[in-house]
Amino acid sequence: MTRIDLDDLPPRIAAKFKTAAVGEELLLVENGLVVARLTLAGDAAAAAAQGDPNSTMEEVLDHFKSIIEDEF
């Protein structure tokens, strides 16, 4: 599994991941083409509320990875 650390991302992008609300979609776009669509699930939000920010990011990245694998 590929892991992306929020500290390695530009601050504006990391902030978008951190502040996403339950059910909100994040689109990853390249040259005007949507390459991935991420949706924050309710379980990830519950884990974040319990003080484990890595669980939220892991959930988002797992979803992202599954989307990429489905496409390619």
mmCIF file of all heavy atoms in Angstrom, residues 1-2 38 60-70:
data_model
loop_
_atom_site.group_PDB
_atom_site.id
_atom_site.type_symbol
_atom_site.label_atom_id
_atom_site.label_comp_id
_atom_site.label_asym_id
_atom_site.label_seq_id
_atom_site.Cartn_x
_atom_site.Cartn_y
_atom_site.Cartn_z
ATOM 1 N N MET A 1 0.850 -1.172 0.000
ATOM 2 C CA MET A 1 0.000 0.000 0.000
ATOM 3 C C MET A 1 0.896 1.236 0.000
ATOM 4 O O MET A 1 1.876 1.301 0.732
ATOM 5 C CB MET A 1 -0.900 0.000 1.240
ATOM 6 C CG MET A 1 -1.671 1.284 1.380
ATOM 7 S SD MET A 1 -2.973 1.308 2.604
ATOM 8 C CE MET A 1 -2.080 1.360 4.112
ATOM 9 N N THR A 2 0.527 2.180 -0.817
ATOM 10 C CA THR A 2 1.233 3.447 -0.868
ATOM 11 C C THR A 2 0.705 4.348 0.223
ATOM 12 O O THR A 2 -0.502 4.447 0.432
ATOM 13 C CB THR A 2 1.031 4.128 -2.228
ATOM 14 O OG1 THR A 2 1.513 3.255 -3.244
ATOM 15 C CG2 THR A 2 1.758 5.445 -2.301
ATOM 16 N N LEU A 38 -12.865 11.107 -4.333
ATOM 17 C CA LEU A 38 -12.799 10.566 -2.982
ATOM 18 C C LEU A 38 -13.976 11.089 -2.177
ATOM 19 O O LEU A 38 -14.324 12.261 -2.264
ATOM 20 C CB LEU A 38 -11.498 10.996 -2.292
ATOM 21 C CG LEU A 38 -10.204 10.736 -3.052
ATOM 22 C CD1 LEU A 38 -9.032 11.360 -2.320
ATOM 23 C CD2 LEU A 38 -9.997 9.257 -3.215
ATOM 24 N N VAL A 60 -9.238 7.508 3.529
ATOM 25 C CA VAL A 60 -9.276 8.257 2.268
ATOM 26 C C VAL A 60 -8.290 7.654 1.272
ATOM 27 O O VAL A 60 -8.617 7.445 0.103
ATOM 28 C CB VAL A 60 -8.975 9.753 2.506
ATOM 29 C CG1 VAL A 60 -8.774 10.489 1.192
ATOM 30 C CG2 VAL A 60 -10.094 10.401 3.303
ATOM 31 N N LEU A 61 -7.095 7.349 1.734
ATOM 32 C CA LEU A 61 -6.088 6.803 0.833
ATOM 33 C C LEU A 61 -6.448 5.394 0.363
ATOM 34 O O LEU A 61 -6.178 5.033 -0.788
ATOM 35 C CB LEU A 61 -4.714 6.817 1.500
ATOM 36 C CG LEU A 61 -4.134 8.216 1.719
ATOM 37 C CD1 LEU A 61 -2.799 8.137 2.451
ATOM 38 C CD2 LEU A 61 -3.973 8.958 0.416
ATOM 39 N N ASP A 62 -7.045 4.590 1.237
ATOM 40 C CA ASP A 62 -7.505 3.264 0.817
ATOM 41 C C ASP A 62 -8.557 3.386 -0.280
ATOM 42 O O ASP A 62 -8.537 2.653 -1.269
ATOM 43 C CB ASP A 62 -8.085 2.479 1.997
ATOM 44 C CG ASP A 62 -7.012 1.950 2.919
ATOM 45 O OD1 ASP A 62 -5.834 1.889 2.507
ATOM 46 O OD2 ASP A 62 -7.364 1.591 4.062
ATOM 47 N N HIS A 63 -9.463 4.331 -0.099
ATOM 48 C CA HIS A 63 -10.499 4.562 -1.109
ATOM 49 C C HIS A 63 -9.865 5.027 -2.420
ATOM 50 O O HIS A 63 -10.215 4.557 -3.499
ATOM 51 C CB HIS A 63 -11.508 5.584 -0.582
ATOM 52 C CG HIS A 63 -12.655 5.818 -1.498
ATOM 53 N ND1 HIS A 63 -13.613 4.871 -1.748
ATOM 54 C CD2 HIS A 63 -12.986 6.899 -2.241
ATOM 55 C CE1 HIS A 63 -14.490 5.356 -2.602
ATOM 56 N NE2 HIS A 63 -14.133 6.583 -2.919
ATOM 57 N N PHE A 64 -8.922 5.941 -2.311
ATOM 58 C CA PHE A 64 -8.209 6.454 -3.480
ATOM 59 C C PHE A 64 -7.494 5.321 -4.212
ATOM 60 O O PHE A 64 -7.586 5.197 -5.430
ATOM 61 C CB PHE A 64 -7.215 7.528 -3.044
ATOM 62 C CG PHE A 64 -6.335 8.031 -4.152
ATOM 63 C CD1 PHE A 64 -6.852 8.804 -5.157
ATOM 64 C CD2 PHE A 64 -4.988 7.727 -4.173
ATOM 65 C CE1 PHE A 64 -6.048 9.276 -6.183
ATOM 66 C CE2 PHE A 64 -4.177 8.187 -5.180
ATOM 67 C CZ PHE A 64 -4.710 8.962 -6.187
ATOM 68 N N LYS A 65 -6.812 4.472 -3.449
ATOM 69 C CA LYS A 65 -6.078 3.353 -4.046
ATOM 70 C C LYS A 65 -7.028 2.409 -4.779
ATOM 71 O O LYS A 65 -6.740 1.966 -5.894
ATOM 72 C CB LYS A 65 -5.313 2.593 -2.979
ATOM 73 C CG LYS A 65 -4.514 1.438 -3.526
ATOM 74 C CD LYS A 65 -3.803 0.699 -2.418
ATOM 75 C CE LYS A 65 -3.100 -0.525 -2.977
ATOM 76 N NZ LYS A 65 -2.556 -1.368 -1.926
ATOM 77 N N SER A 66 -8.170 2.112 -4.171
ATOM 78 C CA SER A 66 -9.118 1.205 -4.819
ATOM 79 C C SER A 66 -9.663 1.802 -6.108
ATOM 80 O O SER A 66 -9.867 1.090 -7.097
ATOM 81 C CB SER A 66 -10.249 0.837 -3.867
ATOM 82 O OG SER A 66 -11.077 1.947 -3.608
ATOM 83 N N ILE A 67 -9.887 3.105 -6.117
ATOM 84 C CA ILE A 67 -10.360 3.769 -7.345
ATOM 85 C C ILE A 67 -9.301 3.672 -8.436
ATOM 86 O O ILE A 67 -9.615 3.334 -9.585
ATOM 87 C CB ILE A 67 -10.711 5.248 -7.067
ATOM 88 C CG1 ILE A 67 -11.957 5.343 -6.197
ATOM 89 C CG2 ILE A 67 -10.910 6.017 -8.370
ATOM 90 C CD1 ILE A 67 -12.236 6.732 -5.704
ATOM 91 N N ILE A 68 -8.073 3.944 -8.085
ATOM 92 C CA ILE A 68 -6.980 3.893 -9.072
ATOM 93 C C ILE A 68 -6.826 2.475 -9.605
ATOM 94 O O ILE A 68 -6.674 2.269 -10.805
ATOM 95 C CB ILE A 68 -5.662 4.395 -8.460
ATOM 96 C CG1 ILE A 68 -5.769 5.879 -8.102
ATOM 97 C CG2 ILE A 68 -4.483 4.147 -9.391
ATOM 98 C CD1 ILE A 68 -6.047 6.789 -9.270
ATOM 99 N N GLU A 69 -6.875 1.475 -8.727
ATOM 100 C CA GLU A 69 -6.723 0.087 -9.168
ATOM 101 C C GLU A 69 -7.883 -0.324 -10.075
ATOM 102 O O GLU A 69 -7.690 -1.084 -11.017
ATOM 103 C CB GLU A 69 -6.625 -0.843 -7.963
ATOM 104 C CG GLU A 69 -5.302 -0.703 -7.244
ATOM 105 C CD GLU A 69 -5.232 -1.520 -5.973
ATOM 106 O OE1 GLU A 69 -6.271 -2.020 -5.504
ATOM 107 O OE2 GLU A 69 -4.124 -1.647 -5.437
ATOM 108 N N ASP A 70 -9.079 0.167 -9.779
ATOM 109 C CA ASP A 70 -10.229 -0.146 -10.636
ATOM 110 C C ASP A 70 -10.075 0.450 -12.025
ATOM 111 O O ASP A 70 -10.489 -0.146 -13.021
ATOM 112 C CB ASP A 70 -11.532 0.364 -10.009
ATOM 113 C CG ASP A 70 -11.947 -0.438 -8.791
ATOM 114 O OD1 ASP A 70 -11.400 -1.540 -8.593
ATOM 115 O OD2 ASP A 70 -12.798 0.064 -8.042
#
